Amino acid sequence: MRASRALGLSPRAAAALGLFLAVMLLLPFLVNAYIVSVLVVVLFAAYFGQSWNIMTGFAGQLSLGHALYVGLGAYTSAALFVHFGLTPWLGMIAGMAVAALAGSAIAALSFRFRVGGVYFALLTIAFAEFTRILFDHFGWVGATEGLFLPVANLAHDDPVRLRGSPVMFYYLLLVLSLAALVLSHSLLDRRVGYYWQAIREDEEAARALGIDVFRYKIAAMALSAAMTALGGTLLAFYDNNLYPDTVFAMGRSIEIIIAPIIGGLGTLFGPIVGAFLLTGLGETMTNLSTYFEISGLKQWFYGAALLAIVALQPSGLWPWLSRALGLWERRR
Amino acid sequence: MSAALLEVRGISKRFRGLQAVDNVSFAVPPGGIVALIGPNGAGKTTTFNLIAGAMVPDGGSIVLDGADITGGRPDQACRAGIGRTFQLVKPFGALSVLQNVMVGAFKATADRVAARRAAWEILERLGLAEKAENPAKTLTLPERKRLETARALATRPKILLLDEVMAGLRPTEIDQMVRAFADLSRETGLAILLTEHVMRAVMALSHHIVVLHHGQKICEGAPEQVARDPQVLECYLGHAQAAERPGA
Amino acid sequence: MLYLNIIVAGLLTGAVYGLMALGLSVIFGVVRIVNFAHGEMMVLAMYGACLANAGLGLDPLLAVPLVTLTLFLLGYALQRGLINRYIARPDHEQFLLLLAVATMITASLLMGFGPDARNVQLGYAYDSYQIGAMLLDKVRLLAAAGAVLGAAALSGFFRFTRTGKSIRACADNQFGAQVVGLDVKRLYAVTFGLGAACVGAAGCLMLLLVDVQPYIATDYTLLAFIIVILGGLGSMPGALFGGILVGVSEALSGFLVEPSFKSAFSFGLLILVLLVRPQGLLGRA
Ligand SMILES: Nc1ncnc2c1ncn2[C@@H]1O[C@H](COP(=O)(O)OP(=O)(O)OP(=O)(O)O)[C@@H](O)[C@H]1O
Ligand SMILES: [Mg+2]
């Protein structure tokens, strides 16, 4: 009960969340390996969405290049592991630091020069693409040939070296996503969260209330980038191979942001709801289209579904869903 | 001279070909209520923007409580003790009324509970308490203006800059607001600089009036004195009808 | 002399880029929407030219009027029927909307044409003119000439026609335009149509130079973004100038460094310009 109060939930919402958690905890025992692998994709999407949500949903700065931080986290930890045998947990911290630095630098450059709105969004794409091409030529991490983590056939999972089964990654990601949920909630409830939202709603008014907008925007970007990079490390050790053209892909940046948008930008549960919906949708489409064997059909339905959502629930599914289920989220 | 809380010394601002503020000087004493009046386009809002750091003056200086704050950023001006409202209101639309005011209150404290308490107090004082949980975007325009005031007040300023916060109010509501501001100033020693086209409020509230016209100060003095000034009557009475129009 | 040839080739290709980006710039300048489906529309136009070639035996140059008109109508309908409702909505909603449109365009092309690259066979594909030591490809010259003509036509439209002038008034002051009784909705639709028409023409011309496949759409979208930001979002001469700049930069870096590095140079250029002169090279401050 204390935990539910800490999250600011009504009893009913707390019960729903508890039920959801219990199901998520038991799920790997109940379903087959394919479903587990899909759930891992869901949790990656949820976690990346939660990380991005801090920058764009809370602080209101539209970043379209978050694959950059996935890639920095993934490559930093993987390269340190491959070349020096450094444990991924330390590599993860290094990756987070690199990403936070890159994020702050990009944000500082942009905001110092008053690049905002659409221009900022396009600038984030430019940095991500630029980095992708650099990594294409970065021999130390394999360039276009890719960087591979040695796959050991272990008898049991080894969380210390992050070598293990999808189930292990499932639980790691579940914990991570929960942690991100608690962190997001606690941030929103503090001065920094209020300030971010004020900046999102009206920068000039925020300034007039004594908020150092520049500093708070950079803080949002640094945190969001570091969290994203953490997920990047897990992704690297889950996939075991890294290619610049997939890790830093523009398509990944876009995937990262679709889930929170259709779930409900700036809400706590939106990224999670969006991740389930989107991944589920994608998997269904893939399975359906293998029956019909028409290339493009999957993407077509996917596009149509996005269109339907933006037409019917432009502010996202979670606000609507939570009202329908009587689980009012107290705060946006 | 140094007794003044806010001292504006010869500030100017030019927009392309237009001299919006031209070498304007005046002072607000501690706890004083000064009105800045003048017809539309006289340069009142621009003067506010210069004082609050939203614009940098071309010349002149602004001294608050002995410290030169000329050319500082808006957030620095706020932390120095200037609270301001916007004539074109800028609510944080998605946040509740209470949260809007809490954003202001967080300047004085990082503690959420304390900020909440401070915000409630201000909402009650300004008669917005019933709306506390409503999203700010659902407020009417006069309510939004009051929210502007509440938010600025929550930063605990030494001086409050009010830019036409009473526009669009009914006469009884104006009287309420006038009383609220007078009480506030008397009880807390808050200084107020206001612009207002509603003469009823200006005359009732202010101790001292500064008149701008085409960016220049044409007269200042006690309310009765200014009201009799032939120059003021000339520039102002021509606009009197427009000036009484709500929302002008 | 080799350098001169490379620069000139880049310049000519850049003119076509410029025409494509012009469409994006016009749409943003007036409707204030960032068309994230721009590259998809470009690829659609290229396939249109392919179809006209395969079905009617039309040279892509002769297909320009047909494809341009088709894209104009598509753009008009898209704005009128769908996008107009999102004009005042937050950036991320507009982004999602256009992303959905883009996804559906690419998917439709995949369904219709499959993932393989296509091109048109031209009798004059390898013709070239020799001017002194300079060697000019005929296709490139034709494409660039077409692009410049297209841009000139658009500029003439904005300067001399009633609708064009109204659109400019609308871009300067939407509220004012409404007050004087302009039908803003229709003007927006016309503008979006014109932006799409630029892409239509550019797509036909581009087909003279490169193959087409559905998945290159994103690259064109990014290319158009780079160009308009370089030149200044909303500035018409800026778009052409930016296109030529990118064309030359691509050609030079492809030759001097490595072909795969050419877009890195464009992105680098973009980052530099955004930080030094955020309004773009020819944009108004
Ligand atoms: N940012 C700006 N750029 C250009 N001109 C401006 C700007 N802000 C104000 N002006 C011009 O400066 C002059 C003074 O404007 P200001 O808003 O200060 O007047 P005001 O006294 O507040 O008028 P009102 O009573 O209508 O609020 C006006 O002519 C206005 O058009
Ligand atoms: Mg004003």
Side-chain angles (χ1 to χ4, degrees), chain A residues 13-296:
Chain A
L17 184 61
L19 185 69
F20 175 71
L21 267 182
V23 170
M24 288 302 281
L25 280 172
L26 291 176
L27 218 45
F29 299 103
L30 308 174
V31 298
N32 62 27
Y34 163 69
I35 303 277
V36 171
S37 73
V38 173
L39 286 171
V40 168
V41 177
V42 170
L43 288 175
F44 267 122
Y47 176 71
F48 284 136
Q50 288 173 304
S51 309
W52 176 82
N53 196 34
I54 290 182
M55 177 70 187
T56 306
F58 296 176
Q61 310 303 308
L62 183 56
S63 163
L64 297 180
H66 255 50
L68 173 60
Y69 311 117
V70 176
L72 289 178
Y75 267 103
T76 306
S77 51
L80 289 174
F81 182 73
V82 168
H83 290 299
F84 307 115
L86 186 72
T87 159
W89 295 98
L90 287 180
M92 179 185 282
I93 293 172
M96 289 169 76
V98 170
L101 221 63
S104 321
I106 292 172
L109 279 173
S110 317
F111 300 137
R112 184 52 85 213
F113 290 95
R114 305 239 155 199
V115 177
V118 179
Y119 289 87
F120 175 71
L122 297 178
L123 196 64
T124 59
I125 298 182
F127 274 106
E129 285 290 294
F130 188 73
T131 313
R132 175 180 66 78
I133 299 164
L134 281 188
F135 271 72
D136 270 342
H137 298 267
F138 190 4
W140 190 63
V141 294
T144 44
E145 307 286 292
L147 180 64
F148 299 91
L149 296 166
V151 183
N153 281 320
L154 297 172
H156 52 82
D157 294 338
D158 179 0
V160 176
R161 299 170 61 221
L162 275 185
R163 313 277 61 202
S165 64
V167 173
M168 180 186 86
F169 281 92
Y170 173 88
Y171 282 112
L172 280 174
L173 284 163
L174 189 61
V175 170
L176 201 56
S177 179
L178 265 180
L181 182 68
V182 173
L183 177 70
S184 298
H185 178 269
S186 119
L187 285 171
L188 276 190
D189 228 17
R190 284 162 201 274
R191 173 153 77 179
V192 58
Y194 278 78
Y195 276 10
W196 279 340
Q197 294 182 87
I199 292 168
R200 175 190 74 201
E201 296 294 313
D202 194 313
E203 249 178 60
E204 213 185 332
R207 263 194 204 101
L209 295 177
I211 302 174
D212 186 345
V213 169
F214 182 70
R215 228 183 72 199
Y216 276 91
K217 279 190 192 169
I218 290 185
M221 186 62 145
L223 177 64
S224 175
M227 285 173 66
T228 308
L230 200 169
T233 297
L234 286 189
L235 187 71
F237 284 77
Y238 179 69
D239 277 351
N240 293 318
N241 54 63
L242 298 173
Y243 300 94
D245 288 357
T246 52
V247 177
F248 288 106
M250 167 98 186
R252 181 187 297 283
S253 291
I254 289 174
E255 264 172 35
I256 288 176
I257 81 177
I258 297 179
I261 292 182
I262 67 169
L265 187 70
T267 63
L268 289 178
F269 292 95
I272 301 172
V273 172
F276 269 95
L277 189 86
L278 214 60
T279 311
L281 194 72
E283 283 304 312
T284 317
M285 297 300 166
T286 306
N287 293 335
L288 276 182
S289 60
T290 48
Y291 281 111
F292 296 106
E293 290 188 18
I294 302 174
S295 62

Side-chain angles (χ1 to χ4, degrees), chain C residues 20-223:
Chain C
M20 168 186 73
L22 191 57
L24 187 69
S25 196
V26 164
I27 292 171
F28 181 82
V30 179
V31 191
R32 293 272 138 195
I33 290 262
V34 179
N35 182 16
F36 281 95
H38 208 69
E40 281 73 9
M41 284 163 42
M42 175 82 175
V43 170
L44 188 67
M46 291 169 86
Y47 273 104
C50 272
L51 265 190
N53 182 260
L56 310 170
L58 278 182
D59 184 288
L61 281 175
L62 297 177
V64 166
L66 188 68
V67 174
T68 303
L69 184 68
T70 313
L71 262 102
F72 175 84
L73 293 176
L74 269 177
Y76 187 97
L78 195 63
Q79 169 67 26
R80 190 100 215 208
L82 195 60
I83 298 173
N84 199 53
R85 278 183 277 165
Y86 291 83
I87 287 184
R89 313 285 311 182
D91 287 349
H92 66 268
E93 284 178 24
Q94 299 176 354
F95 169 75
L96 193 61
L97 174 74
L98 284 153
L99 186 70
V101 171
T103 310
M104 291 179 76
I105 293 177
T106 301
S108 307
L109 291 174
L110 265 173
M111 290 196 280
F113 300 94
D116 298 331
R118 291 197 173 213
N119 58 15
V120 289
Q121 301 298 328
L122 298 169
Y124 52 86
Y126 302 102
D127 293 359
S128 55
Y129 303 109
Q130 179 104 31
I131 303 174
M134 205 162 66
L135 209 59
L136 289 175
D137 301 333
K138 185 172 177 183
V139 280
R140 240 176 260 285
L141 207 57
L142 285 173
V148 171
L149 275 179
L154 188 68
S155 154
F157 174 83
F158 279 127
R159 196 155 306 166
F160 300 117
T161 67
R162 241 183 98 87
T163 311
K165 286 182 203 164
S166 311
I167 289 176
R168 271 166 49 205
C170 201
D172 284 343
N173 185 345
Q174 198 226 104
F175 180 71
Q178 245 154 358
V179 170
V180 298
L182 293 178
D183 181 353
V184 172
K185 246 191 211 175
R186 187 184 73 90
L187 293 177
Y188 277 1
V190 171
T191 306
F192 208 98
L194 286 172
C198 286
V199 176
C204 295
L205 301 172
M206 205 64 200
L207 198 62
L208 296 175
L209 307 180
V210 298
D211 297 350
V212 61
Q213 66 178 93
Y215 287 121
I216 55 172
T218 317
D219 293 345
Y220 280 120
T221 303
L222 287 177
L223 190 66

Side-chain angles (χ1 to χ4, degrees), chain B residues 27-218:
Chain B
V28 182
I33 302 183
V34 174
L36 192 62
I37 65 169
N40 290 118
K44 305 180 295 290
T45 298
T46 307
T47 304
F48 272 28
N49 282 333
L50 294 174
I51 295 171
M55 291 173 178
V56 180
D58 300 333
S61 64
I62 297 150
V63 178
L64 182 74
D65 223 0
D68 190 334
I69 59 164
T70 321
R73 294 195 312 259
D75 52 304
Q76 292 169 330
C78 174
R79 268 173 275 147
I82 290 176
R84 63 101 35 114
T85 68
F86 290 93
Q87 181 177 358
L88 297 169
V89 291
K90 295 176 179 296
F92 304 130
L95 302 190
S96 73
V97 169
L98 180 67
Q99 287 173 326
N100 266 266
V101 183
M102 282 171 74
V103 172
F106 273 122
K107 190 201 122 196
T109 170
D111 179 43
R112 196 174 60 87
V113 180
R116 208 182 160 79
R117 196 173 333 109
W120 263 116
E121 257 169 46
I122 291 167
L123 286 178
E124 269 161 10
R125 196 182 260 279
L126 291 181
L128 271 175
E130 308 102 88
K131 306 269 177 175
E133 302 292 345
N134 299 11
K137 61 176 168 236
T138 61
L139 296 184
T140 63
L141 185 61
E143 284 168 346
R144 286 176 194 218
K145 299 216 156 192
R146 249 184 293 166
L147 178 60
E148 286 279 326
T149 312
R151 229 167 37 179
L153 210 48
T155 66
R156 298 180 182 236
K158 294 173 184 161
I159 180 165
L160 187 60
L161 272 47
L162 301 174
D163 199 346
E164 299 196 22
V165 290
M166 297 188 221
L169 294 187
R170 285 189 294 273
T172 51
E173 292 172 321
I174 291 175
D175 292 342
Q176 274 170 17
M177 288 291 273
V178 165
R179 209 169 313 124
F181 286 132
D183 290 351
L184 202 68
S185 177
R186 187 162 19 79
E187 288 165 27
T188 64
L190 175 74
I192 296 176
L193 177 65
L194 71 147
T195 84
E196 202 57 70
H197 285 298
V198 183
M199 275 309 132
R200 174 194 182 94
V202 171
M203 298 310 273
L205 201 52
S206 49
H207 311 153
H208 188 85
I209 295 181
V210 176
V211 188
L212 289 187
H213 188 40
H214 292 319
Q216 290 174 328
K217 183 174 80 176
I218 56 169

